[in-house]
Amino acid sequence: MAGNSDLTVPVSISAGIHIGFIVILALGISFDDKPKQMQTAAASAPAVQAIVIDQQKVNDRVEQLKKQKQDVAKQEKARQAELERKASEARREREREQEKIKTLEIQRKQKEQETQKANDAAKAAQAKQVLEKERADKAEVVRKQKEQEQKASEDAAKKAAEKRKQEEAAAKKAQEERQRADDERKRKEDAERKRKAEADTKARQEREMAEAMAAEQDSLSKTRNKQVLSEVDKYKAMIIATIQRNLVVDESMRGKSCRVFIRLASDGFVTTSQTLDGDQVVCRAAKASINKAGRLPVSPEPAVYKQLKEINLTVSPEFN
């Protein structure tokens, strides 16, 4: 604003002088009096020169002011550019800091996830150990129970045998006493009748002994058959459970089943598996499950294995 004020006064003066000079020339010219005109022109020459000189100064000042204004504008532009550069640099620095914070947060979350996974894995392993221990404890309880049952059966058989021996001995003793009495009373009887009586006694004793032995054998056989059937049912359930674990199911198999034939080696290795009848999708899944298992649970007891080495089972997909 100061620069504009400095220019206003000289420019106004110069413009006034030029206008006045033009007016004088327009009004003061006389065609009849040329010398006067020349005098007037001669008198005006210094004023015109002064005006031209002042105009040059004005122009120089104007150029100087323009240059100053341009320099100021250039400095302002440079200052604005520097401010923008610093602002951009600060913005980039903030972005880098935010990116670093974001990266650190991601790393922190990843570490938390890894720690959580490790904790979950440890808990799962611990739970698995607890489950395996519970299964082992149950198996041990079952084994001890079987041992106790077997021992009780053996003790009962021994007691029955001892009782039979005592009864046989008592019967024999009584018979001998009766025989001696008979012999005393019938001393004079015919020897043939005596031999017949002895033969009858012996036959009766053998018959009683045979009946007692048959009863014992029948009792032992029933107990053993019951144990074998219980073991067979248990291992069948274990085999079906193994097949179910490896069975890949979908909704199309719901309510459907398949009968399969399986032949097992003594170590549980599947030597033959065939689908007999049932839904084709279920049959394919059942056969794939059996092949995937490779081995199925079998009992080390020969009598139990004998009934399990060739079995027919019905596989029905289970849905939770």
Side-chain angles (χ1 to χ4, degrees):
M1 296 295 292
N4 292 335
S5 298
D6 293 341
L7 290 174
T8 302
V9 175
V11 170
S12 300
I13 295 171
S14 177
I17 292 171
H18 279 78
I19 294 170
F21 182 68
I22 293 170
V23 171
I24 292 171
L25 289 177
L27 298 176
I29 295 174
S30 175
F31 295 101
D32 296 331
D33 193 1
K34 292 183 181 178
K36 186 177 180 180
Q37 180 182 4
M38 291 177 63
Q39 288 176 358
T40 304
S44 302
V48 172
Q49 186 177 6
I51 291 171
V52 172
I53 292 172
D54 291 340
Q55 183 63 41
Q56 183 65 39
K57 287 181 180 180
V58 169
N59 293 337
D60 291 343
R61 180 60 178 169
V62 169
E63 291 298 323
Q64 182 182 3
L65 291 173
K66 285 182 179 179
K67 187 175 184 304
Q68 289 178 354
K69 187 175 180 181
Q70 290 174 354
D71 292 341
V72 170
K74 192 178 295 183
Q75 291 175 0
E76 180 63 19
K77 186 176 181 180
R79 188 179 69 83
Q80 291 293 335
E82 179 65 17
L83 290 175
E84 290 178 0
R85 185 189 66 78
K86 290 182 178 179
S88 178
E89 181 65 26
R91 186 170 59 255
R92 287 195 296 271
E93 183 65 24
R94 286 196 303 273
E95 290 175 354
R96 285 194 294 269
E97 288 296 327
Q98 290 175 355
E99 189 65 28
K100 183 184 291 185
I101 292 171
K102 188 183 295 183
T103 302
L104 291 174
E105 181 64 16
I106 291 173
Q107 292 175 352
R108 183 185 66 77
K109 289 183 178 179
Q110 288 176 346
K111 288 182 179 179
E112 287 181 354
Q113 291 175 355
E114 291 172 358
T115 303
Q116 185 64 35
K117 287 181 180 179
N119 292 337
D120 292 342
K123 290 179 180 178
Q126 186 176 4
K128 184 178 180 182
Q129 290 178 354
V130 171
L131 182 60
E132 290 177 351
K133 187 177 184 303
E134 290 178 353
R135 289 177 178 173
D137 292 343
K138 290 180 180 178
E140 182 64 17
V141 170
V142 171
R143 186 187 65 80
K144 289 182 178 179
Q145 184 178 358
K146 288 181 181 178
E147 288 181 354
Q148 291 175 354
E149 291 175 354
Q150 185 175 0
K151 188 175 183 302
S153 177
E154 292 175 353
D155 292 342
K158 288 180 180 179
K159 289 179 179 179
E162 290 176 357
K163 184 177 180 181
R164 283 193 301 274
K165 288 180 180 179
Q166 292 175 356
E167 290 174 351
E168 290 171 359
K172 186 178 181 180
K173 183 178 181 181
Q175 182 63 30
E176 289 175 352
E177 290 177 353
R178 286 195 301 272
Q179 187 65 42
R180 283 195 296 269
D182 289 341
D183 290 342
E184 185 67 26
R185 288 191 304 269
K186 299 176 182 180
R187 187 179 298 172
K188 296 180 180 181
E189 289 183 359
D190 188 63
E192 187 177 342
R193 290 181 60 188
K194 186 184 293 187
R195 286 194 301 269
K196 183 180 179 181
E198 292 175 353
D200 291 342
T201 301
K202 184 177 180 181
R204 187 175 62 256
Q205 290 176 348
E206 290 176 352
R207 186 173 59 255
E208 290 175 353
M209 184 177 294
E211 289 174 355
M213 290 179 65
E216 178 185 3
Q217 185 64 32
D218 183 62
S219 176
L220 291 173
S221 179
K222 286 181 180 179
T223 301
R224 180 59 178 163
N225 287 337
K226 185 177 180 181
Q227 293 176 349
V228 169
L229 289 176
S230 177
E231 286 293 296
V232 168
D233 291 339
K234 183 182 77 173
Y235 277 93
K236 276 187 178 180
M238 292 169 66
I239 290 171
I240 292 175
T242 302
I243 295 173
Q244 289 286 357
R245 275 199 307 273
N246 294 305
L247 191 66
V248 179
V249 300
D250 57 52
E251 282 298 325
S252 66
M253 300 161 63
R254 186 180 291 274
K256 300 176 182 178
S257 63
C258 176
R259 254 184 1 111
V260 296
F261 167 75
I262 304 173
R263 182 179 289 116
L264 300 174
S266 59
D267 60 352
F269 182 77
V270 179
T271 60
T272 303
S273 63
Q274 296 177 350
T275 57
L276 301 178
D277 55 63
D279 182 74
Q280 292 183 355
V281 177
V282 178
C283 288
R284 284 197 297 271
K287 189 171 179 64
S289 174
I290 294 169
N291 292 336
K292 183 179 179 181
R295 293 180 186 275
L296 297 174
V298 293
S299 172
E301 292 290 334
V304 178
Y305 167 69
K306 183 178 180 181
Q307 296 196 39
L308 290 172
K309 65 180 181 179
E310 292 184 354
I311 55 173
N312 293 333
L313 296 174
T314 299
V315 177
S316 299
E318 295 179 353
F319 293 83
N320 294 329

